[in-house]
Amino acid sequence: MKLAKLNILIKSSVKTRKLSSAFFCIFVILSTVLMLLSIGLILPMTDNVVNKINNHISRRELETDFTDNIPDDYIESKITKLKENQYVTDVYKIPSKLTFSDSSKTLSSQYTLAFVHNESSPLITSGRTFDESETGVALVPEKIKDYNENERKFSEINGEDLIGKTLELNVGEDTVFKIKIIGAYSTSDPIFENKEILVPKNDLFKYDAAVSGEYSGDKSYMIVVDKPENTETALQELSDICNVYKRTDVINVQTYNTAMYISLATAVLFIAFVIVGFLFFKNNISNRTNELALYRALGYKTKHIFYIIFTEHIILALISIFIGIIFAFLLGNLLINPCIYSLLGNTIMEMTVKITIGEISTVILMIILLLFIVCKTAVKRSEKTDLTVLLRER
């Protein structure tokens, strides 16, 4: 059987079944848009929730304090025992945060000197981060709302514009330190505040000692646990060694996890919609008894009928998929991404719907596979019906 004759039948079938073909095209376009957008949303959301929320450093941190009158050797013995716990990966002394004003007048407001937590790193938006072995360097927020008390007005400063400049830290009456700004970081992570200048921990200890004369006050230590799910167990075990506590969570994990589960459920619903839709088209193909009867009466074999039915639908499907991809890109960039930014912009969950080649290929293969199975099943099913019955139904 020559393909040219079969192709003529395909063209004729499409022309005579315009309404059915139109419904099929609309369904494939809608399926493509829904699957691309749901996958493009779920993948970055899942990555954000798992890596940025569930595994956030604050969920793996515990703290303990020792008063100033406790001997150092006693503290060291306790720290050694803490480090021996199977869940603990690090225990380190944390410096106190200091409030300062800038004598160089680069910044007018008062700011806080803070440190970078071990096993974490700020998101650098410009410049570079520092190594803890460096000294006299700092990171500033990417956006700074600076208040000039004399002029009584706010000004917005880009952290990038401050890179290379030197701040003069006035942390006491006669205590001034110079630090060079080497980078700007994102304050989207809730572990940081908008007015924190990040410096190496050793520098912060030095600044604090200079202000206080010699260090006085409680000695605080950060305890880092290997996994967030082990934090509570570690807390119970470490509490037998000394007074260990966990600070209030800086992230509402449950809210983000719920949002992720809802998104996953929605994606599953969309996929189920696509599968059910193709099952409907399988019944639609199976009900084309008059056409199938004619093909068999003319001597067409099952493979010829499958070629006609499958080719007819695959051509329409590929055209519809292409249109669906265009709609998905337009909806993603013009509607969904602006909505996501209004909800999550400038937060730790900042994300966009991303439609990649891999996702497009996955959707195309899924639709082609479903179409192949549906057409194969429908045509195969027609073999079990006696030809005289098919002809009688004409």
Side-chain angles (χ1 to χ4, degrees):
M1 190 75 64
K2 293 184 178 181
L3 290 179
K5 293 183 179 180
L6 296 178
N7 292 335
I8 292 173
L9 290 175
I10 293 170
K11 292 179 182 179
S12 176
S13 178
V14 172
K15 289 180 180 180
T16 56
R17 300 176 58 79
K18 292 181 180 179
L19 183 61
S20 177
S21 298
F23 277 121
F24 177 76
C25 289
I26 293 172
F27 169 74
V28 174
I29 291 172
L30 183 60
S31 299
T32 302
V33 171
L34 291 178
M35 286 194 293
L36 283 178
L37 291 180
S38 59
I39 294 173
L41 176 63
I42 287 169
L43 291 181
M45 175 175 282
T46 303
D47 178 68
N48 271 272
V49 171
V50 171
N51 296 313
K52 293 182 180 180
I53 303 299
N54 292 338
N55 289 322
H56 191 267
I57 186 63
S58 65
R59 302 193 67 234
R60 298 195 291 118
E61 290 180 332
L62 300 171
E63 291 188 37
T64 184
D65 299 323
F66 299 95
T67 57
D68 186 46
N69 60 352
I70 296 178
D72 288 341
D73 56 349
Y74 175 83
I75 295 176
E76 286 300 320
S77 66
K78 293 296 184 181
I79 298 303
T80 300
K81 289 182 179 180
L82 292 175
K83 289 181 178 179
E84 291 173 351
N85 185 274
Q86 60 178 325
Y87 301 118
V88 174
T89 61
D90 194 10
V91 180
Y92 63 95
K93 191 176 181 180
I94 55 178
S96 300
K97 295 181 180 181
L98 292 177
T99 301
F100 74 95
S101 58
D102 177 25
S103 300
S104 69
K105 302 303 180 184
T106 301
L107 299 173
S108 301
S109 299
Q110 285 196 329
Y111 293 86
T112 301
L113 287 179
F115 63 94
V116 177
H117 294 224
N118 285 16
E119 298 192 23
S120 71
S121 58
L123 175 62
I124 302 300
T125 57
S126 55
R128 68 175 180 86
T129 189
F130 54 72
D131 187 271
E132 286 294 339
S133 62
E134 292 184 82
T135 185
V137 293
L139 301 175
V140 295
E142 61 176 334
K143 297 289 183 183
I144 302 173
K145 285 189 176 181
D146 193 52
Y147 179 70
N148 190 313
E149 189 173 353
N150 294 329
E151 298 179 2
R152 294 187 177 181
K153 69 176 183 179
F154 284 96
S155 59
E156 187 171 283
I157 302 174
N158 290 322
E160 183 178 7
D161 297 336
L162 298 180
I163 295 176
K165 294 186 177 182
T166 300
L167 302 180
E168 295 181 0
L169 309 182
N170 187 356
V171 293
E173 293 182 1
D174 300 313
T175 307
V176 176
F177 293 99
K178 292 184 178 181
I179 57 172
K180 184 177 180 180
I181 299 171
I182 61 172
Y185 71 95
S186 171
T187 55
S188 60
D189 192 328
I191 203 171
F192 301 120
E193 298 176 6
N194 289 330
K195 287 200 170 186
E196 287 187 338
I197 309 294
L198 304 181
V199 297
K201 282 190 285 293
N202 287 334
D203 276 0
L204 193 48
F205 280 122
K206 179 177 66 176
Y207 302 150
D208 181 68
V211 173
S212 306
E214 287 195 14
Y215 182 79
S216 60
D218 292 348
K219 299 173 184 178
S220 300
Y221 289 82
M222 189 76 76
I223 305 164
V224 185
V225 180
D226 56 355
K227 298 177 182 178
E229 53 266 32
N230 294 331
T231 302
E232 290 301 325
T233 303
L235 176 60
Q236 294 176 8
E237 295 182 5
L238 298 177
S239 294
D240 294 333
I241 300 173
C242 56
N243 179 33
V244 176
Y245 61 92
K246 189 177 187 300
R247 288 187 176 180
T248 304
D249 289 336
V250 296
I251 299 176
N252 189 340
V253 177
Q254 190 59 44
T255 299
Y256 288 109
N257 282 327
T258 300
M260 181 181 69
Y261 295 143
I262 292 173
S263 299
L264 288 171
T266 303
V268 171
L269 185 63
F270 287 159
I271 293 173
F273 163 77
V274 173
I275 294 174
V276 170
F278 272 100
L279 291 177
F280 169 78
F281 280 106
K282 184 192 77 170
N283 293 331
N284 188 42
I285 294 171
S286 299
N287 291 333
R288 291 164 63 171
T289 53
N290 293 344
E291 187 178 345
L292 296 176
L294 179 60
Y295 291 151
R296 292 195 182 280
L298 294 174
Y300 289 97
K301 297 181 179 179
T302 298
K303 65 178 182 179
H304 300 137
I305 298 175
F306 172 76
Y307 175 82
I308 294 171
I309 299 297
F310 181 72
T311 305
E312 170 191 336
H313 285 86
I314 198 64
I315 292 173
L316 295 175
L318 291 175
I319 294 172
S320 302
I321 290 171
F322 178 74
I323 296 172
I325 292 171
I326 295 175
F327 274 116
F329 270 107
L330 291 176
L331 286 173
N333 293 323
L334 299 179
L335 180 62
I336 296 178
N337 282 340
C339 290
I340 292 175
Y341 183 80
S342 66
L343 294 172
L344 303 174
N346 296 322
T347 70
I348 193 173
M349 277 287 289
E350 186 171 1
M351 52 175 277
T352 57
V353 170
K354 296 179 181 178
I355 300 175
T356 65
I357 297 297
E359 292 166 4
I360 292 173
S361 301
T362 300
V363 170
I364 292 174
L365 289 175
M366 180 179 175
I367 291 177
I368 291 176
L369 179 62
L370 285 172
L371 191 58
F372 178 86
I373 294 173
V374 164
C375 292
K376 193 75 174 177
T377 304
V379 173
K380 195 75 175 176
R381 184 179 176 185
S382 69
E383 290 180 344
K384 299 178 182 180
T385 307
D386 188 75
L387 181 60
T388 57
V389 175
L390 290 172
L391 291 174
R392 189 163 53 248
E393 292 183 0
R394 292 185 70 217

